Amino acid sequence: MKTDIHIAQEATMEPIVKVAERIGIGEDDLELYGKYKAKLTDELMDRVKERTDGKLVLVTAINPTPAGEGKTTTSIGLAQAMGRLGKKAILALREPSLGPCFGIKGGAAGGGYAQVVPMEDLNLHFTGDFHAITSANNLLAAMVDNHIQQGNELGIDPRQIVWKRCLDMNDRVLRNVVVGLGSKADGMVREDHFVITVASEIMAVLCLADDMEDLKRRLGRMIVGYTFVGKPVTAADVQAVGAMAALLKDALKPNLIQTLEHTPAIVHGGPFANIAHGCNSVRATKTALKLADITITEAGFGADLGAEKFFDIKCRKAGLKPDAVVLVATVRALKYNGGVPKDQLSEENLPALKKGIVNLEKHIENLQKYKVPVVVTLNAFLTDTEAEVAYIENFCLERGCEFALSEVWEKGGEGGIALAEKVLDTLENRESNFEVLYGDELSLKEKIETIAKEIYGADGVSYSAAAARELKRIEDLGMGRFPVCMAKTQYSLSDDQSKLGRPKDFTVNVREVYVSAGAGFVVAVTGAIMTMPGLPKKPAANNIDVNADGVITGLF
């Protein structure tokens, strides 16, 4: 089989103007970035907003192996299959971060014959959205430090600055830094921190904003620090909102590209699901719902992270109602959750599969709590055996879930026909009675504990002294009705990545809490999760190159 980048580079793309025509978008509704990429205009989104929504399908997954298990690939292949069946479908996906591209996980353009293209553009600079977010984030950081340097009229306590700088790269040495070294003119010496751009609150704000006015309101509410008497200081207080909004003007507009089979794909925003809310932008999803009969979107990592946040944060805030959920599993991931080492996942091992399938069982149970119909799909690998596939299918059917084998990596849309037919049947014959997991009126601790117990299966939650103090301060500031965004490892239902399968008899440990007042949620950081990842021992960057003709190799 050819590599992903080889397949993508051999593909014949249609001009994006022609792709747009299929969903009723004219050239005047596009802001072109070359021949194969475009942004959707504000005028288009205003014009279609009164249309009736199509159906919304969420694609999520079980807990993955470290290499990922093909959730985005399945989303893309499903959309391509819908097109083959004559359905008007659109993808609504997140943009990739440079961190994983040069780290271990790779990009987020799908794989095999289920990809969005141009693949290299998407995985690298694309239309500059992440650069704009990084610039806006760091402008605000610079303005805070400058305000202190120029007299500190607001009385900001340098020891209580909570706004962190960001960079869209895995760079562990920037997690904790000291700034302001040098002379008096170089600023006040203090400890500072970096997060990866996808963990910036501005990423979350951009993805949840309805329009420019809403974006500016949210930017203005972001808390950058506290005064010496404990009063919060916002971006509006340091007069940074207008300049940040100017940097984000174009980034706010969703991007349109295509799949290998020319299915329209709206790709916009990209918060990580293990440290942020893990969904593409509300603007992209809502626009897709107006343009197509079926919108297929995905949420990052396993259903314990991405799907929970999609439901309890994005749907709650945007008023979205999903009609069905596709839960992606792989034989490899289930055997990994059953204790099989990574280098032995290609060998048939039914005992390990039976041990690890409890992970799938828990995710099915979790999704059913939201009262949305569930279709389980097995993302096929060449090493899967008939016995393994049959066992998983029977397991799902016994739990009231539809089941379909997905072969989209190998066969593209043709390999997703069985899955598409199951999804269409579910949309037609099973009603979604979607509801969120918890109410706004619960305390922040009650919300955290509801997620930990109901979704993760924990016995309870412990809090560091600092986290407990911060929860009280947030509620005292009147933000106790916010939903909670859990920052947790993606590799386990617990906050310990070594606990595979369906862990029991464990406590979730909340070590840090902070409020994202602009986004409108409270982040609870658990276990050893890092908001600035590091590169692995052998990063993917080692194998990426470009030749004299400008052809990139090594991306995957």
Side-chain angles (χ1 to χ4, degrees), residues 52-278:
T52 302
D53 286 347
K55 298 289 188 179
L56 179 59
V57 178
L58 173 70
V59 179
T60 186
I62 64 170
N63 292 102
T65 68
E69 296 308 312
K71 175 170 39 58
T72 305
T73 300
T74 301
S75 302
I76 296 165
L78 174 59
Q80 292 180 158
M82 290 290 185
R84 286 174 178 256
L85 292 173
K87 303 301 179 181
K88 191 176 181 182
I90 293 183
L91 278 161
L93 303 175
R94 294 172 299 160
E95 301 175 49
S97 163
L98 292 177
C101 286
F102 296 116
I104 188 171
K105 187 174 177 291
Y113 288 93
Q115 295 188 58
V116 282
V117 287
M119 182 261 219
E120 304 101 303
D121 293 16
L122 176 61
N123 278 323
L124 298 178
H125 302 288
F126 199 29
T127 57
D129 293 348
F130 281 24
H131 298 307
I133 292 166
T134 302
S135 298
N137 184 101
N138 294 340
L139 170 65
L140 178 56
M143 291 182 73
V144 170
D145 281 314
N146 185 61
H147 181 90
I148 294 171
Q149 175 73 6
Q150 302 297 345
N152 200 6
E153 182 181 346
L154 293 170
I156 300 172
D157 183 351
R159 300 163 301 179
Q160 294 193 77
I161 294 175
V162 296
W163 191 258
K164 300 175 181 179
R165 288 168 163 82
C166 75
L167 184 73
D168 191 31
M169 198 63 63
N170 292 0
D171 195 346
R172 60 170 55 84
V173 302
L174 293 178
R175 290 171 184 161
N176 305 290
V177 297
V178 176
V179 297
L181 293 174
S183 68
K184 183 177 180 181
D186 296 320
M188 178 171 287
V189 177
R190 67 176 184 87
E191 183 179 352
D192 201 0
H193 312 272
F194 275 77
V195 298
I196 192 166
T197 295
V198 287
S200 167
E201 185 178 353
I202 294 180
M203 176 67 80
V205 162
L206 182 113
C207 287
L208 291 169
D210 288 322
D211 50 32
M212 177 56 75
E213 290 306 310
D214 188 31
L215 176 72
K216 290 170 73 172
R217 283 192 294 269
R218 290 175 178 275
L219 291 172
R221 293 198 299 263
M222 295 188 310
I223 294 173
V224 299
Y226 295 86
T227 67
F228 287 104
V229 295
K231 179 184 176 183
V233 179
T234 65
D237 292 331
V238 296
Q239 300 177 50
V241 173
M244 286 192 293
L247 286 169
L248 296 168
K249 176 178 71 72
D250 293 325
L252 185 60
K253 300 171 183 175
N255 309 290
L256 181 67
I257 52 175
Q258 63 191 288
T259 73
L260 292 174
E261 298 180 14
H262 316 306
T263 308
I266 300 178
V267 184
H268 193 220
F272 279 179
N274 57 350
I275 51 181
H277 76 286

Side-chain angles (χ1 to χ4, degrees), residues 15 88 124 180 185 200 231 235 311 337 340 375 402 426 429 437 467 474 482 491 534:
K88 191 176 181 182
L124 298 178
S200 167
K231 179 184 176 183
F311 294 142
N337 274 281
V340 175
V375 178
E402 297 288 349
T426 298
N429 297 307
L437 184 68
I474 292 167
F482 283 1
Y491 298 124

Side-chain angles (χ1 to χ4, degrees), residues 23 40 45 48 51-56 88-93 254 264-266 280-297:
I23 48 175
L40 303 179
M45 288 180 275
V48 303
R51 293 183 185 175
T52 302
D53 286 347
K55 298 289 188 179
L56 179 59
K88 191 176 181 182
I90 293 183
L91 278 161
L93 303 175
I266 300 178
N280 73 318
S281 76
V282 167
R283 292 193 99 196
T285 303
K286 285 188 171 181
T287 302
L289 286 167
K290 302 299 183 183
L291 293 171
D293 297 327
I294 300 170
T295 293
I296 298 164
T297 191

Side-chain angles (χ1 to χ4, degrees), residues 5 100-103 124 539-546 552-556:
I5 192 168
C101 286
F102 296 116
L124 298 178
N542 290 355
N543 301 313
I544 296 173
D545 201 358
V546 58
I552 295 172
T553 56
L555 271 177
F556 62 95

